[in-house]
Amino acid sequence: MAQTFPIPMVDSPEQPAPSDALARLYAGFEAEYLIPLWTEIGGLMPAQPRSAARPHVWRWSNLVALADQAGALVPVGRGGERRAIALANPALGGRPFATPTLWAAIQYLMPGEDAPEHRHTQHAFRFVVEGDGVWTVVERDPVPMRRGDFLPQAGWNWHAHHNATSRPMAWIDGLDIPFQYLTESQFFEFGRPEISDAERVTPERSRAERLWGHPGLTPIGVQTGTGSPLLAYRWVHTDAALRDQLELEREGYPGVVEPGHAVVRFTNPATGGDVLPTIRAEMHRIAKGSETAPVREVGSSVVQVFDGGGRVTVGDQTWSVSRGDMFVVPSWTNWSAVSEASASDSDSGALDLFRFSDTPIFDALNLSRSQKG
Amino acid sequence: MAQTFPIPMVDSPEQPAPSDALARLYAGFEAEYLIPLWTEIGGLMPAQPRSAARPHVWRWSNLVALADQAGALVPVGRGGERRAIALANPALGGRPFATPTLWAAIQYLMPGEDAPEHRHTQHAFRFVVEGDGVWTVVERDPVPMRRGDFLPQAGWNWHAHHNATSRPMAWIDGLDIPFQYLTESQFFEFGRPEISDAERVTPERSRAERLWGHPGLTPIGVQTGTGSPLLAYRWVHTDAALRDQLELEREGYPGVVEPGHAVVRFTNPATGGDVLPTIRAEMHRIAKGSETAPVREVGSSVVQVFDGGGRVTVGDQTWSVSRGDMFVVPSWTNWSAVSEASASDSDSGALDLFRFSDTPIFDALNLSRSQKG
Amino acid sequence: MAQTFPIPMVDSPEQPAPSDALARLYAGFEAEYLIPLWTEIGGLMPAQPRSAARPHVWRWSNLVALADQAGALVPVGRGGERRAIALANPALGGRPFATPTLWAAIQYLMPGEDAPEHRHTQHAFRFVVEGDGVWTVVERDPVPMRRGDFLPQAGWNWHAHHNATSRPMAWIDGLDIPFQYLTESQFFEFGRPEISDAERVTPERSRAERLWGHPGLTPIGVQTGTGSPLLAYRWVHTDAALRDQLELEREGYPGVVEPGHAVVRFTNPATGGDVLPTIRAEMHRIAKGSETAPVREVGSSVVQVFDGGGRVTVGDQTWSVSRGDMFVVPSWTNWSAVSEASASDSDSGALDLFRFSDTPIFDALNLSRSQKG
Amino acid sequence: MAQTFPIPMVDSPEQPAPSDALARLYAGFEAEYLIPLWTEIGGLMPAQPRSAARPHVWRWSNLVALADQAGALVPVGRGGERRAIALANPALGGRPFATPTLWAAIQYLMPGEDAPEHRHTQHAFRFVVEGDGVWTVVERDPVPMRRGDFLPQAGWNWHAHHNATSRPMAWIDGLDIPFQYLTESQFFEFGRPEISDAERVTPERSRAERLWGHPGLTPIGVQTGTGSPLLAYRWVHTDAALRDQLELEREGYPGVVEPGHAVVRFTNPATGGDVLPTIRAEMHRIAKGSETAPVREVGSSVVQVFDGGGRVTVGDQTWSVSRGDMFVVPSWTNWSAVSEASASDSDSGALDLFRFSDTPIFDALNLSRSQKG
């Protein structure tokens, strides 16, 4: 796979007239490892973000089929670490980057398999669109993973996964690998060769949830670090929160972000802020027949259809989507969605979209902008 | 009632020898509204806080009996505003102050009664030790109140209460009235003469809970102000959180603050910080037979026994306490509790204590200190 | 001196009709240390702050004359600690409180005298309206004090003063003694009996200024605590900053807060925020002939005339003031000033006012309000 | 110039055995725009940052000579915007990036020339190693630029430059262009075609300095945005601050970061934090004969020798450096410097290094790490 990282060079400012002297000057620049601004400014300093990435959709059926084949062919172990297969944006030069800052992958674990323990500064989460049977073990706390669950795991926590059942399981991983790669800030360490028997138990709830999963209630006997101490956000809560917003709308009260469009953000209960320092995660529910207004933001996002079906428009692309499909929204690119339930969809007919983005980076640096409509 | 505010004058630094000249000097000071430091320093700048307040216990049976009589004799209406009866610390000179900064009162509402709408900058909460049937209406959102519920209400929100049942109901109010009174920062406004029929409905859950009561999930379609947007912290959650901590302790995992002593703090889900800008609120559960280590803090607190029974020591006072009893812990005064269940107590035999304090004031100003053991 | 703390009881809500039953109820309340809200609400929860303090002016000539007599009669030493004489607001019941939260005093040190080392959690500053010759020694760093200098000293720093000259010197102290007294948060410790010879040197600049006194430049080799690490804000800078603002106004550029009214706030260079956690300090310059618009704020302040002369209005009081005069502005009380230079005043004819207030307390707790005009 | 962005692929984890099935799987990945983690993890998730950039030094004499030729051949005007020539790290594939996140360039303006007004979200500063005569006009405020001055200019402020003298002038620019380019967060707008006569004046001080250049003094009549409101940090102050630190060291007091090594950080007086949201800037003075301990940090920096001479080691490279020379320190690469004054150097014999880095990005996201020695 090629290693190039293509750059949009759109504007071409007027250049000085060619001459021997200019050619000598430019040769002098090259010899001294110098590049003038006036030949590069169009690409480097555009009027607004022009993403190197492009809108693209990946179909869940294809992702699962390939992951399933990998399950048969590729072992999981120390070194390779994870059977994770990353979305590689077609415009990002063959790098395993969904967007210039975000990694998105399908991960797959066979019956009885373990993914070995390690830790890294990259912030991560798992999200489960279907299936169950895997426990992710974070700082020795086994956390069950089931359909609809969002499982954040802030950087530098030890973690492993084990499949305790007789069925394979797939889920998606989101990380800030490209961001930390490009800014060269990442650290990584291998953990113990095997997790202990005590970590192979399969509790219904993690210890993290028992401490942090009660609304508005903070345990004062434990410390917190960077990122959310709550290791699982269960579907039962997310679903109820979205349903409540749409019911409030029907009753005439505030709650939704726009007509027929409910959103909850996964947040760190210890701070009320984003669940991870570099990643925002949200669940959107678009009521049957509703359509969201186009919106664009600084920064990129990746979206997975959790339930229902509909049409999604990103920039100049429009796709019909259904459960599990994933697509990317490049920086400063409009996106919108319309819910179009088919017979096979959920009872409510709503379109549920799980979305994650790099917005906390821009919020922290006062670089965020967004524009609606 | 007397208006004096007694001041502990403990240290008496050596004073200049009496003389006619000194007497003339002191007369000059008095004429010019001046007071020297050297005669006052002992009381004003003690080595450590010496509270003007004193430890004291109020018995729930007495509080309820008097509130019940007030229900028969004193109407609730515009002007008097609330049938609230405040704990007046015996050492605070006849002021209705539980401590120098905190107000604590029993409030009582007769069947069908309304407490009229108003708002004030004083931060407030309600806590229900027994009974139900009253809805507090905060910014037109009716919030049911039931045993074990904690209901914060940040300053400057409109609020009224109505008893929708055929039984009287009592609960306790906590506010920062003395703090805002002493620092002269309070504002107050009357609201509408009557709340609307739409606010007289009796929903099971408030709209605030439907938006903010899902753990770790933030609704992004609504704005928040000062203080928690979650208007009710239900007993079912508080109880579960405490039970989880004690179970984790039994399993050998972190969670409790000390052996047999679980604590949850009521926090603002939008910030992770204290539920109100000037008031910290917590529920403590002391397992059957356990005893807490003495601890003292800058700032004062008020405690109500929610369930169980035991002995409490505050400074040099020790009392046997049971459900509903309330006591004050003055600034920098040791307190501890031991759980001693009697036959009539809850199944678990634990002692549950609801506690609120003025700690956020000192945290915000870098004046907090505490000392254990 | 009386110990009462008078409370304004303005509004008298309608009360239940007197009866024997009511009398028995009230007797029951008194026996149980209870006070009803409905008899107290007018004073406790007024529509807006009604300060217990009253506007008052103290004349510098009187302050200096009495301090001078105290210099002859009252020694400075361990126990009494400081020859400080506090402004006692005439309406605050004989307490040495300029306002309910602020202490303001004239301090006086005779030739060769030392004020002994101690530390306390109360935040303090010194401001010099005239004279020089004293070095305040903060954490063993001798800091010269001269006319116009503002010298903050955050809580819990060791400090002593010594007069290294053959002349007495007077200055003013500002502290949050009443606030910490009323909230019962103060600690105090005696220091060494004598400061060392190394601390008796009389440098032109403190070490704090050498580290922190360069605009926008932070020394990264040292740590900072609570409150400003810069121990002296010199008049040469304050004067230049005010002059610059008025010149910018004349040139048509922003800078002043209103026509002819320049203000600089003394801030912590490590945070950009207020110089002390509980005290705001500012220098105001009102150009010759200018008048400030009335303004009122939550919280109280104390003002000293640094230079020039004029008329000041606080609430319903108006005074002619000149160098050194001090006055208090109670909470939520309008104040304004007009500059009326006399022949003997400074060349510029401006009125310079040094002002300190308790505003950071209210800012930290979201209780600040102000109203102009 | 090539567009590749080389990636260090160091670790090669053991891979599954080649087979037809595996080849088919990998072809399936490629067809679906997928890339497995197990082939990429070595490069993507190294044990610690391995910078794509390499240590490199640029000699000031070469930079100035080429800039001088560009002055003769390349006009400055709308479109090209600036006669700026960027350091292109030899290992960054022909991009005009000094490091993966930082832009560093020499800018050059001929007598009487104007660089046209524009604004952009990229944060910028200018630093002057020699010469004077240019005023940078930021939000219509003309700011003189002279040797030793540091001139920050936060994103989205309008700015132009004009050379008001009969001599050319060179200086360096630092920006976060690569960071905003890679994260796709940049906006850019052209300003007026010409600045006004009122902006062509040549004041000694900017209005920004008159408002914000007084140590610890904040003008309360003006608002601040993102980044420092102080538009010039003058050499006279920086030099004094460094001299003070080294004198304090000689007197036995804290101040320097290590023996013979003084550092001041340019900070935002409104916050005390870094001068720009994405860029840290510091001046280091290494006393004659002193040597700094090797240190490495997450993130990259660019250093320019301001005065003196010595030897610098970055990673495995060592260079003799003198005034104006510039070098880059890649992420997590040790660097150190020793001061070796020659006869022609400054009186003090110290080595003065101006340094800027991307550290605020990592501080904001909890990704900072550093290691000394």
Side-chain angles (χ1 to χ4, degrees):
Chain A
M1 279 160 250
Q3 299 294 322
T4 56
F5 199 98
I7 286 159
M9 294 288 290
V10 181
D11 296 323
S12 293
E14 206 178 338
Q15 297 298 322
S19 70
D20 286 355
L22 190 71
R24 279 194 302 276
L25 177 64
Y26 284 9
F29 287 164
E30 194 156 5
E32 291 290 333
Y33 294 106
L34 296 171
I35 300 178
L37 175 64
W38 58 86
T39 63
E40 304 284 316
I41 189 170
L44 278 180
M45 303 182 82
Q48 56 190 46
R50 283 193 204 117
S51 185
R54 99 158 66 123
H56 190 75
V57 68
W58 287 259
R59 300 298 175 180
W60 186 239
S61 54
N62 294 340
L63 294 175
V64 170
L66 287 162
D68 196 59
Q69 291 173 39
L73 291 170
V74 181
V76 167
R78 182 59 78 217
E81 301 293 304
R82 297 290 183 264
R83 192 185 291 110
I85 307 161
L87 311 191
N89 193 290
L92 290 179
R95 303 298 314 149
F97 296 172
T99 78
T101 56
L102 295 173
W103 165 279
I106 181 170
Q107 191 174 153
Y108 200 80
L109 212 53
M110 298 291 281
E113 270 187 343
D114 280 2
E117 190 183 57
H118 60 212
R119 66 174 177 178
H120 42 72
T121 53
Q122 288 93 345
H123 300 294
F125 69 83
R126 339 236 155 259
F127 178 72
V128 184
V129 75
E130 62 184 22
D132 55 39
V134 167
W135 273 251
T136 180
V137 183
V138 181
E139 295 286 330
R140 309 199 175 191
D141 181 8
V143 187
M145 297 167 60
R146 304 188 195 94
R147 170 161 162 80
D149 293 346
F150 171 78
L151 307 112
Q153 183 227 294
W156 218 235
N157 285 294
W158 293 111
H159 58 285
H161 315 306
H162 71 104
N163 186 334
T165 69
S166 54
R167 302 175 306 279
M169 181 179 170
W171 65 90
I172 67 162
D173 288 335
L175 292 96
D176 59 2
I177 290 175
F179 177 75
Q180 293 205 31
Y181 174 79
L182 291 171
T183 59
E184 306 186 331
S185 49
Q186 74 278 74
F187 291 80
F188 182 98
E189 279 186 10
F190 294 130
R192 296 164 296 159
E194 300 280 341
I195 59 173
S196 67
D197 286 348
E199 294 158 74
R200 276 179 208 287
V201 297
T202 53
E204 276 297 297
R205 288 190 303 155
S206 60
R207 300 197 292 269
E209 291 164 273
R210 294 159 74 188
L211 287 171
W212 288 96
H214 309 282
L217 299 176
T218 295
I220 67 170
V222 292
Q223 296 295 315
T224 59
T226 294
S228 180
L230 180 56
L231 298 178
Y233 294 66
R234 299 296 173 195
W235 176 245
V236 62
H237 300 301
T238 307
D239 181 46
L242 293 167
R243 210 168 44 229
D244 277 345
Q245 284 188 23
L246 290 169
E247 284 175 6
L248 284 165
E249 183 191 20
R250 278 194 291 275
E251 297 169 21
Y253 295 112
V256 295
V257 297
E258 59 185 338
H261 184 187
V263 186
V264 289
R265 185 170 294 160
F266 299 101
T267 48
N268 178 343
T271 67
D274 278 299
V275 69
L276 293 169
T278 54
I279 298 178
R280 171 164 297 171
E282 295 171 345
M283 185 67 75
H284 293 241
R285 175 165 290 171
I286 303 158
K288 189 175 180 172
S290 291
E291 180 161 6
T292 69
V295 63
R296 58 182 179 175
E297 292 183 357
V298 164
S300 55
S301 57
V302 178
V303 181
Q304 184 176 37
V305 178
F306 178 67
D307 211 354
R311 263 178 311 115
V312 164
T313 299
V314 182
D316 55 6
Q317 305 274 310
T318 297
W319 313 290
S320 281
V321 293
S322 58
R323 184 185 285 189
D325 292 349
M326 300 180 73
F327 57 90
V328 293
V329 183
S331 185
W332 208 240
T333 303
N334 274 307
W335 80 285
S336 60
V338 54
S339 175
E340 294 176 326
S342 66
S344 63
D345 288 322
S346 67
D347 294 346
S348 74
L351 174 61
D352 283 355
L353 300 176
F354 170 74
R355 175 176 180 261
F356 68 101
S357 73
D358 55 4
T359 316
I361 296 170
F362 305 107
D363 280 0
L365 303 173
N366 273 306
L367 291 169
S368 287
R369 290 196 193 190
S370 68
Q371 197 177 53
K372 196 161 187 171
Chain B
M1 279 160 250
Q3 299 294 325
T4 56
F5 198 99
I7 287 159
M9 294 289 290
V10 181
D11 297 322
S12 294
E14 206 178 337
Q15 297 299 321
S19 71
D20 286 355
L22 190 69
R24 278 192 302 275
L25 178 63
Y26 284 8
F29 288 163
E30 194 155 5
E32 291 289 333
Y33 293 107
L34 297 171
I35 302 178
L37 175 63
W38 58 86
T39 63
E40 304 284 316
I41 189 170
L44 279 181
M45 304 182 82
Q48 56 190 49
R50 285 191 204 117
S51 185
R54 99 157 67 122
H56 191 74
V57 67
W58 287 258
R59 300 299 175 179
W60 186 239
S61 53
N62 294 341
L63 293 175
V64 170
L66 287 162
D68 197 57
Q69 292 173 39
L73 290 171
V74 180
V76 167
R78 181 60 79 216
E81 301 293 303
R82 298 289 183 264
R83 192 185 290 110
I85 307 160
L87 312 190
N89 194 290
L92 290 179
R95 303 298 314 149
F97 297 173
T99 79
T101 57
L102 296 173
W103 166 279
I106 181 171
Q107 191 175 152
Y108 199 80
L109 212 54
M110 299 291 281
E113 269 187 343
D114 281 2
E117 191 183 58
H118 61 212
R119 66 175 179 178
H120 41 70
T121 54
Q122 288 93 345
H123 300 295
F125 70 82
R126 338 234 156 261
F127 179 71
V128 184
V129 75
E130 63 184 20
D132 54 41
V134 167
W135 273 252
T136 180
V137 183
V138 180
E139 296 285 332
R140 309 199 175 190
D141 181 9
V143 188
M145 297 167 60
R146 303 188 196 93
R147 171 162 161 79
D149 294 345
F150 170 78
L151 307 112
Q153 184 226 293
W156 218 235
N157 285 294
W158 292 112
H159 58 285
H161 315 305
H162 71 105
N163 187 335
T165 69
S166 55
R167 302 175 305 278
M169 180 179 170
W171 65 88
I172 67 162
D173 290 333
L175 292 97
D176 59 3
I177 291 175
F179 177 74
Q180 292 205 31
Y181 173 80
L182 291 172
T183 59
E184 305 184 334
S185 49
Q186 75 279 74
F187 292 80
F188 182 98
E189 280 185 7
F190 294 130
R192 296 164 295 160
E194 299 281 340
I195 59 173
S196 66
D197 286 348
E199 295 158 73
R200 276 178 209 288
V201 298
T202 54
E204 276 297 297
R205 288 189 303 155
S206 60
R207 300 196 293 269
E209 291 165 274
R210 294 159 75 188
L211 288 171
W212 288 97
H214 309 283
L217 300 176
T218 295
I220 67 170
V222 292
Q223 297 295 315
T224 58
T226 294
S228 180
L230 180 56
L231 297 179
Y233 294 67
R234 299 294 172 198
W235 176 245
V236 62
H237 299 302
T238 307
D239 181 46
L242 294 167
R243 208 167 47 228
D244 277 345
Q245 284 188 21
L246 290 169
E247 284 175 7
L248 284 165
E249 183 190 22
R250 277 194 292 275
E251 298 169 21
Y253 295 112
V256 296
V257 296
E258 61 184 338
H261 184 187
V263 185
V264 289
R265 185 169 296 161
F266 299 101
T267 48
N268 178 343
T271 67
D274 278 298
V275 70
L276 293 169
T278 53
I279 297 178
R280 171 163 297 171
E282 295 170 345
M283 184 69 74
H284 294 240
R285 175 165 291 172
I286 303 158
K288 188 175 180 172
S290 290
E291 180 161 7
T292 69
V295 63
R296 58 180 177 175
E297 294 182 356
V298 164
S300 55
S301 57
V302 178
V303 182
Q304 184 177 36
V305 179
F306 177 70
D307 212 355
R311 261 177 313 114
V312 164
T313 300
V314 182
D316 56 6
Q317 305 275 309
T318 296
W319 313 290
S320 282
V321 292
S322 58
R323 183 184 288 187
D325 291 349
M326 300 179 73
F327 58 90
V328 293
V329 182
S331 186
W332 208 241
T333 304
N334 274 307
W335 80 284
S336 61
V338 54
S339 175
E340 294 176 327
S342 66
S344 63
D345 288 322
S346 67
D347 293 346
S348 75
L351 174 62
D352 285 354
L353 300 176
F354 170 76
R355 175 177 179 259
F356 68 102
S357 73
D358 55 5
T359 316
I361 297 170
F362 305 108
D363 279 0
L365 303 173
N366 274 307
L367 291 169
S368 286
R369 292 196 191 190
S370 68
Q371 197 178 53
K372 196 161 187 171
Chain C
M1 280 161 252
Q3 299 293 323
T4 56
F5 198 98
I7 287 159
M9 293 288 290
V10 181
D11 296 323
S12 294
E14 206 178 337
Q15 298 299 322
S19 70
D20 286 356
L22 190 71
R24 278 194 301 275
L25 177 65
Y26 284 9
F29 289 163
E30 194 156 5
E32 290 289 333
Y33 294 107
L34 296 170
I35 301 178
L37 175 63
W38 58 86
T39 64
E40 304 284 316
I41 189 170
L44 278 182
M45 303 183 82
Q48 56 190 48
R50 284 193 204 117
S51 184
R54 97 156 69 120
H56 191 74
V57 67
W58 287 259
R59 300 299 176 179
W60 186 240
S61 54
N62 293 341
L63 294 175
V64 170
L66 287 162
D68 197 59
Q69 290 173 39
L73 291 171
V74 180
V76 168
R78 182 59 78 216
E81 300 293 306
R82 297 291 183 264
R83 192 185 290 112
I85 306 160
L87 312 190
N89 193 291
L92 290 179
R95 303 299 313 151
F97 296 173
T99 78
T101 57
L102 296 172
W103 165 279
I106 181 170
Q107 191 174 153
Y108 200 81
L109 212 52
M110 298 291 281
E113 270 187 343
D114 281 3
E117 191 182 56
H118 61 212
R119 66 175 178 177
H120 42 70
T121 54
Q122 289 93 345
H123 300 294
F125 70 83
R126 339 237 156 259
F127 178 72
V128 184
V129 72
E130 63 184 20
D132 54 40
V134 167
W135 273 252
T136 180
V137 183
V138 181
E139 295 287 330
R140 308 199 176 191
D141 181 8
V143 188
M145 296 167 60
R146 303 187 196 93
R147 170 162 161 79
D149 294 345
F150 170 79
L151 308 112
Q153 184 227 293
W156 218 235
N157 285 294
W158 292 111
H159 58 284
H161 315 305
H162 70 104
N163 187 336
T165 69
S166 55
R167 302 176 306 279
M169 181 178 169
W171 66 88
I172 67 163
D173 289 335
L175 292 96
D176 59 4
I177 292 174
F179 176 75
Q180 294 205 30
Y181 173 80
L182 291 171
T183 59
E184 306 185 332
S185 50
Q186 76 278 73
F187 291 80
F188 182 98
E189 280 186 7
F190 295 130
R192 297 163 296 162
E194 299 281 339
I195 59 173
S196 67
D197 286 349
E199 294 158 74
R200 276 177 208 289
V201 298
T202 55
E204 277 296 298
R205 289 191 302 156
S206 60
R207 301 196 292 270
E209 291 165 272
R210 294 158 75 187
L211 288 171
W212 288 97
H214 309 283
L217 301 175
T218 295
I220 67 169
V222 291
Q223 297 295 315
T224 58
T226 294
S228 180
L230 179 56
L231 298 178
Y233 293 68
R234 298 298 173 194
W235 176 245
V236 62
H237 299 303
T238 307
D239 182 46
L242 293 168
R243 208 167 46 228
D244 277 345
Q245 283 188 23
L246 290 169
E247 283 175 8
L248 283 165
E249 183 191 21
R250 278 194 291 275
E251 297 169 22
Y253 295 112
V256 295
V257 296
E258 60 184 339
H261 184 187
V263 185
V264 290
R265 185 170 295 161
F266 300 100
T267 48
N268 178 343
T271 66
D274 278 299
V275 70
L276 294 169
T278 52
I279 297 178
R280 171 162 296 170
E282 296 171 344
M283 184 69 74
H284 293 241
R285 176 164 291 171
I286 302 158
K288 188 174 180 173
S290 291
E291 181 161 5
T292 68
V295 63
R296 59 181 178 175
E297 293 182 356
V298 164
S300 55
S301 58
V302 178
V303 182
Q304 183 175 38
V305 179
F306 178 68
D307 212 355
R311 261 177 312 115
V312 165
T313 299
V314 182
D316 56 4
Q317 304 273 310
T318 297
W319 313 289
S320 281
V321 292
S322 58
R323 184 184 288 186
D325 291 350
M326 300 179 74
F327 58 90
V328 292
V329 182
S331 184
W332 207 241
T333 304
N334 274 307
W335 79 285
S336 61
V338 54
S339 175
E340 295 177 325
S342 67
S344 64
D345 288 322
S346 67
D347 292 348
S348 74
L351 174 61
D352 284 354
L353 301 176
F354 169 76
R355 175 176 180 259
F356 68 102
S357 73
D358 54 5
T359 316
I361 296 170
F362 305 107
D363 279 1
L365 302 173
N366 273 306
L367 291 169
S368 286
R369 291 197 192 191
S370 69
Q371 196 178 54
K372 195 161 186 170
Chain D
M1 277 160 250
Q3 300 294 324
T4 56
F5 198 97
I7 287 159
M9 293 288 291
V10 181
D11 294 324
S12 294
E14 204 178 339
Q15 297 300 322
S19 70
D20 286 353
L22 191 69
R24 278 193 303 274
L25 178 65
Y26 284 8
F29 288 165
E30 194 155 6
E32 291 289 334
Y33 294 106
L34 297 171
I35 301 177
L37 175 64
W38 57 86
T39 63
E40 304 284 317
I41 189 170
L44 280 181
M45 302 183 82
Q48 55 189 47
R50 284 192 204 117
S51 186
R54 98 158 65 123
H56 191 75
V57 68
W58 287 258
R59 300 300 176 178
W60 186 239
S61 53
N62 294 341
L63 293 176
V64 170
L66 286 162
D68 197 59
Q69 291 172 39
L73 290 171
V74 181
V76 168
R78 181 59 77 216
E81 300 294 305
R82 298 290 183 266
R83 191 184 289 112
I85 306 160
L87 311 190
N89 194 290
L92 289 180
R95 302 299 314 149
F97 296 172
T99 78
T101 56
L102 296 173
W103 166 279
I106 180 170
Q107 191 174 154
Y108 200 80
L109 212 53
M110 299 291 281
E113 269 188 343
D114 281 2
E117 191 183 56
H118 60 212
R119 66 175 177 177
H120 42 71
T121 54
Q122 288 93 345
H123 300 293
F125 70 82
R126 340 238 155 258
F127 178 70
V128 184
V129 74
E130 63 185 20
D132 55 39
V134 167
W135 273 252
T136 180
V137 183
V138 180
E139 295 287 328
R140 310 200 175 190
D141 181 9
V143 188
M145 298 167 59
R146 304 188 195 92
R147 172 164 161 78
D149 293 346
F150 170 78
L151 307 113
Q153 184 228 293
W156 217 235
N157 285 293
W158 293 111
H159 58 285
H161 314 307
H162 71 103
N163 186 334
T165 69
S166 54
R167 301 176 306 279
M169 181 178 170
W171 67 89
I172 67 162
D173 289 334
L175 292 96
D176 59 4
I177 291 175
F179 176 75
Q180 293 205 30
Y181 174 79
L182 292 170
T183 58
E184 306 186 331
S185 49
Q186 74 278 75
F187 291 80
F188 182 97
E189 280 186 7
F190 294 130
R192 296 163 295 159
E194 300 280 339
I195 59 173
S196 66
D197 287 349
E199 293 158 74
R200 276 178 209 290
V201 298
T202 54
E204 276 298 297
R205 287 189 303 156
S206 60
R207 300 196 292 269
E209 291 165 272
R210 293 158 76 189
L211 288 171
W212 287 97
H214 308 283
L217 300 176
T218 295
I220 66 169
V222 291
Q223 297 295 315
T224 58
T226 294
S228 180
L230 180 57
L231 297 179
Y233 294 67
R234 299 296 173 195
W235 176 245
V236 62
H237 299 303
T238 308
D239 181 47
L242 294 166
R243 209 167 46 228
D244 278 344
Q245 283 188 22
L246 290 169
E247 284 175 8
L248 284 164
E249 183 190 20
R250 278 193 292 275
E251 297 169 22
Y253 296 112
V256 295
V257 296
E258 60 185 337
H261 183 188
V263 185
V264 289
R265 185 169 296 160
F266 300 101
T267 47
N268 178 344
T271 67
D274 278 299
V275 69
L276 293 169
T278 53
I279 298 177
R280 172 163 296 171
E282 296 171 345
M283 184 68 75
H284 294 241
R285 176 164 290 172
I286 303 157
K288 189 175 181 172
S290 290
E291 181 163 5
T292 68
V295 64
R296 58 180 178 175
E297 292 183 357
V298 164
S300 55
S301 58
V302 178
V303 182
Q304 183 175 37
V305 179
F306 178 69
D307 212 355
R311 262 177 314 113
V312 165
T313 299
V314 182
D316 56 6
Q317 305 273 309
T318 297
W319 313 290
S320 281
V321 292
S322 59
R323 183 185 288 190
D325 291 350
M326 300 179 74
F327 58 91
V328 293
V329 182
S331 185
W332 208 241
T333 304
N334 274 307
W335 78 285
S336 61
V338 55
S339 174
E340 295 176 327
S342 67
S344 63
D345 288 323
S346 67
D347 293 348
S348 74
L351 174 61
D352 284 354
L353 301 176
F354 170 75
R355 174 176 181 261
F356 68 102
S357 73
D358 55 6
T359 316
I361 296 170
F362 306 107
D363 280 1
L365 302 173
N366 273 306
L367 291 169
S368 287
R369 290 196 192 191
S370 68
Q371 195 177 54
K372 195 160 187 173

